Every structure is written in C-alpha cells, then in structure tokens.
Amino acid sequence: MKRIAMLSVHTCPLAMLGGKNTGGMNVYVRELSRELGRRGYAVDVFTRCESQIHPPIVELGPNARVVHICAGPLQHQEKNRLYEYLPEFVREVAEFADMEGCRYDVIHSHYWLSGWVARELQARWRVPVVQMFHTLGAMKDKVARPDESREHPQRIDTEREIMRWADRVVAATELDKRQMVTLYNVPGDPIRIVPCGVDLALFRPTDQAHARQEVGLDAGSSTVLFVGRMEPLKGIDDLLHAIALIQRNGNMPCSRLSLMLIGGSAEDHPDAMTGEMGRLIQMRDALGLQEMVAFLGAQGQDILPLYYAAADVVVMPSHYESFGMVALEAMACGTPVIASDVGGLSYTVVDGVTGFLVPAKDPDSLADAICHVLNDQVFRDTLGQQAARAARSYGWERIADQILAVYDEAESAYRVRDAVSATSTERWHQAQPA
C-alpha cells in the first residue's frame, strides 16, 4: 500500500470554514485525502495542534487520518509567527513516522509553510515532493490596496525556493502557472495544472423552496449570498456598495432584496475578527443597509449546500483567487455565480453561461450583473442548470486521477535527480586525494 504524507501545517482540514486561515485549502486537503484513502492509499495529514482538546489522531475516512503535531504554543497563532516553529514541527513528524513504522512514498505539501517542512523531511526520507501553494504571496501583494498589509518577505522568498526544487508543483489554472513563472522567475517545466474538485454527493441541486424553509429564509425574497473569509481581499466592501447602488437606483424592488454573508470564525484572532467585522458592519449601517444585509457567521459544511440552493445568486467579488472553490460549490448546487474576473474565477465561471464575470473593484458592474440575474427568472434558471452541468466535470474522482499522475511524475523526477546527485557525490569523493 502506497503511503502519502499530506502536509497542512497552518490549518487543519477539520476546522470550521470561513475563518481567517480556513477556506478552500482546508476542503481540498480533506476531500483529496478521503478520495485517495477510498482508493486504498494510506494518507496521513499532518497539521499543527492548536488546542489540548484536539485528539492526537482523527480518522478522516478509510485509510486516511489527521495527525495533530505539537509545535509551539497550544493555541492559535498568526501564520507568519509559525515560521519559528517549523523545525520543531519537522522533528515531531519524523518522530511520529519512526514510532509508527511509517515509510512514506510521496510528500504532498500545501502552502509555503508546509513546503519548507517538506524539504526538510525529503532530506530525511529521500522521497519526492509535490507542492501546492493555493495562494501566492507575490499576487496578494500585487492586488493589495495601499492601506492593506503586505505579505512577509520570508514567504515570497521561500515560495521561490520551493518552486525551484520541488519535484512537481501543482497550479490550479493556466493563469496560476503563468503567475508563478513570471512573478518568481522560475521554469515552468515542473508545474502541472490540476483544478480543484467538488464533492458532488454533498453539493447538488436541491429544491429552492425546501432549502429556504430549512434555513429560515423568506420564500419571496431575492437573495444574494456571499461565502468566504472576512478579509479585505474578498472585496466584501465592493459588494456592499453594489447593494447600496441597487437600492438607490431602484433597479429592482429592494423590499425583496437581501444579502446573506457567511464567514468568520472563533479561531480568528479576536482583534482581527472584531476589526474587519466591525468595519464591514459599520459600512453596512452607513450605507443604510441594516434591513437588507445579514452577517450569519461561520456555517458547517453540512448546511452550506442548503444556503447555496436557497440563494438566487452567489457573488464572489474577490480581488484575487487562485481558484475559487466557493464558486464551484455553488455551481454544483445549481446556483449561478457572479464573480470578479480574476485568477481562477476567470476559469471556473463561464461568463454568460454559468454566471457572469465582472471587473474587480467595480461596484457599478457588480450591481448591473446582480440585477440582470435577479430580474429574469427564466435566464437565472438557465444559468443554474448550466452551472450544475459544468460542475460535474470537477468531481474528486477525476481530480484524484490527475493528482496520482502527478505523483508518478514526481517519483520519476526524484529518482533521476537522486541518481545524478549520488553520481556527482561519488565522483567528488574519487577526485579527492588519498
């Protein structure tokens, strides 16, 4: 049985979604690990333990488990602070593998912190590494507004190093690959394009009237839904301004219009959570949207499909998304998506077919697209049906097939590199004086 070490240092795949450090990557690691486990691969997901209440090992499914590693304080830490605990994380993972008698065949690391750990473990275990970044520090800096904080320089330097030594790097889209090559000045040969997946058994079309009843939503309302982290990069302020424009211009009966926002987590640092949520709530009130906009907090993965199905349209006004799994989940539920024409969203959403793409940071265009969808039920239903059909090609079974092919390539590349390194070392020793 092949054994895979899945590294997700800074965030646990079991964590509640919507927090500052939880989102699409958590879903990706969890669902890919489960799918590989169902196929008979043994998968250990290593993640940092943040609380004494977390069991050391949690079963994810057949052959797949989450292993909580103690490295640093047993409490939530900001991502940039975790860098100092990475050597301890490496030691603890290696000790766990020794105690369990585990011999891993491939390391699949997620995010730059895990990539740093992967290189150290590769030196110990002599196995190939497949790296995914999920987001790029250089891109986040590029789209950040002047008043927003920048990524730690250590992140961007480490990302560049990982791209140069990893046996294979996975990009979610062709654009994601181009951004790596251009912004980091690295060769594109080791980069493979594999999109993210969606659980088609969980996210599927559901009767809207039933879904609205389940979540307590007015049957006659026109409902816009946002799902994601509460952070400036998600463009929530642009969405609030778009709703205010619709209200002011009277493009539709605003007594029936509502916006639901799902996101935010108790795992966030209280100051950060209070600051961003406070800013958005203050903006909502200043725009006079108290009766139209509701912040619902984090919601469990089991209830999210009902919210997607209950909504008339899902909006993703992000300034940057490497892929945008929320869009894919909404589409799988038969709900059209309006998204910024950025990053992976430009590939996931088919403009005019499964929803609309609009310029980022453009509330006017966003308001027009929302009205276009909400004011035409026949068109909206058509978009939703086409969205559900498009999402079927992203099932985890297909995505796992592609990832396994990348693992095979990585193994071949590592064997060649290892053989060349061994030969070079032998020649160096032969050339030394007796």
Side-chain angles (χ1 to χ4, degrees):
M1 177 189 292
K2 274 196 172 184
R3 188 174 289 275
I4 300 160
M6 198 80 68
L7 305 182
S8 181
V9 173
H10 80 285
T11 183
C12 177
L14 302 173
M16 179 74 79
L17 302 182
K20 187 177 181 182
N21 293 329
T22 56
M25 177 179 145
N26 301 70
V27 175
Y28 187 101
V29 172
R30 184 185 68 229
E31 296 306 318
L32 176 61
S33 298
R34 284 175 172 166
E35 177 60 29
L36 294 175
R38 285 191 288 267
R39 296 183 182 210
Y41 294 86
V43 184
D44 286 338
V45 183
F46 294 101
T47 190
R48 199 182 77 87
C49 186
E50 295 191 345
S51 170
Q52 291 181 338
I53 66 173
H54 291 156
I57 299 177
V58 179
E59 298 297 323
L60 265 181
N63 304 311
R65 57 186 180 171
V66 173
V67 182
H68 290 107
I69 297 296
C70 293
L74 287 177
Q75 61 189 43
H76 178 71
Q77 298 285 311
E78 288 298 316
K79 287 184 290 188
N80 288 334
R81 289 205 60 193
L82 295 183
Y83 188 78
E84 62 185 285
Y85 306 126
L86 295 184
E88 183 181 358
F89 191 94
V90 170
R91 290 194 301 271
E92 293 297 321
V93 170
E95 286 184 14
F96 175 88
D98 290 341
M99 287 188 298
E100 293 274 315
C102 295
R103 202 292 184 183
Y104 295 97
D105 298 286
V106 64
I107 300 170
H108 191 165
S109 47
H110 301 265
Y111 199 65
W112 71 277
L113 294 169
S114 298
W116 191 99
V117 170
R119 187 169 195 178
E120 297 299 308
L121 290 174
Q122 183 182 61
R124 294 170 181 252
W125 294 343
R126 298 178 67 85
V127 296
V129 170
V130 173
Q131 170 71 24
M132 297 184 69
F133 292 101
H134 295 273
T135 61
L136 299 172
M139 271 304 301
K140 294 185 80 170
D141 278 353
K142 188 174 182 180
V143 302
R145 290 171 172 167
D147 59 338
E148 293 171 8
S149 60
R150 295 300 188 267
E151 292 298 308
H152 195 287
Q154 185 69 52
R155 172 180 179 176
I156 296 173
D157 291 342
T158 303
E159 285 175 338
R160 182 180 295 107
E161 292 176 10
I162 294 169
M163 291 175 198
R164 288 175 174 165
W165 65 256
D167 298 289
R168 285 295 180 269
V169 175
V170 175
T173 65
E174 178 62 39
L175 177 60
D176 196 19
K177 176 179 178 177
R178 289 203 303 270
Q179 289 168 346
M180 291 184 202
V181 172
T182 303
L183 296 176
Y184 292 85
N185 191 28
V186 297
D189 294 344
I191 304 174
R192 296 293 177 269
I193 300 170
V194 181
C196 298
V198 64
D199 183 349
L200 296 175
L202 178 63
F203 297 98
R204 62 185 190 278
T206 303
D207 178 69
Q208 188 181 61
H210 167 72
R212 290 191 169 201
Q213 185 177 17
E214 289 293 309
V215 300
L217 184 64
D218 179 11
S221 67
S222 295
T223 304
V224 178
L225 175 66
F226 168 90
V227 177
R229 295 189 298 277
M230 296 290 147
E231 63 177 12
L233 196 67
K234 296 297 182 180
I236 301 170
D237 47 353
D238 299 321
L239 177 54
L240 292 175
H241 281 295
I243 297 297
L245 283 169
I246 295 172
Q247 180 191 53
R248 184 165 66 246
N249 296 336
N251 294 333
M252 61 178 299
C254 288
S255 60
R256 297 174 54 247
L257 177 62
S258 65
L259 168 63
M260 300 185 297
L261 298 107
I262 292 177
S265 169
E267 294 178 350
D268 293 343
H269 189 281
D271 292 340
M273 183 171 63
T274 302
E276 181 60 13
M277 286 294 293
R279 184 182 76 87
L280 293 172
I281 291 172
Q282 192 174 47
M283 179 179 292
R284 177 199 65 180
D285 296 347
L287 292 170
L289 303 176
Q290 296 94 323
E291 301 301 317
M292 299 169 63
V293 177
F295 291 88
L296 304 182
Q299 300 293 326
Q301 192 81 346
D302 56 336
I303 196 92
L304 270 180
L306 289 173
Y307 277 104
Y308 285 132
D312 291 299
V313 63
V314 169
V315 178
M316 295 189 68
S318 305
H319 303 161
Y320 166 57
E321 292 280 353
S322 61
F323 185 78
M325 292 185 73
V326 165
L328 192 53
E329 291 171 352
M331 288 165 53
C333 291
T335 303
V337 177
I338 297 171
S340 299
D341 191 4
V342 299
L345 293 172
S346 303
Y347 294 81
T348 310
V349 178
V350 182
D351 191 42
V353 178
T354 66
F356 284 111
L357 294 170
V358 299
K361 308 178 186 179
D362 188 343
D364 291 276
S365 296
L366 190 57
D368 288 343
I370 291 172
C371 290
H372 191 174
V373 173
L374 294 183
N375 286 331
D376 189 337
Q377 182 174 345
V378 174
F379 180 53
R380 184 168 68 247
D381 290 344
T382 299
L383 289 176
Q385 292 163 9
Q386 293 170 166
R389 283 198 296 271
R392 290 176 197 149
S393 63
Y394 291 92
W396 279 110
E397 296 86 353
R398 293 190 181 190
I399 304 307
D401 286 340
Q402 297 175 60
I403 289 295
L404 287 171
V406 175
Y407 288 172
D408 290 341
E409 282 192 28
E411 288 178 318
S412 298
Y414 179 75
R415 282 197 299 269
V416 171
R417 183 159 59 90
D418 195 40
V420 171
S421 176
T423 301
S424 298
T425 301
E426 183 180 354
R427 288 175 177 170
W428 183 88
H429 283 299
Q430 290 174 350
Q432 300 312 301

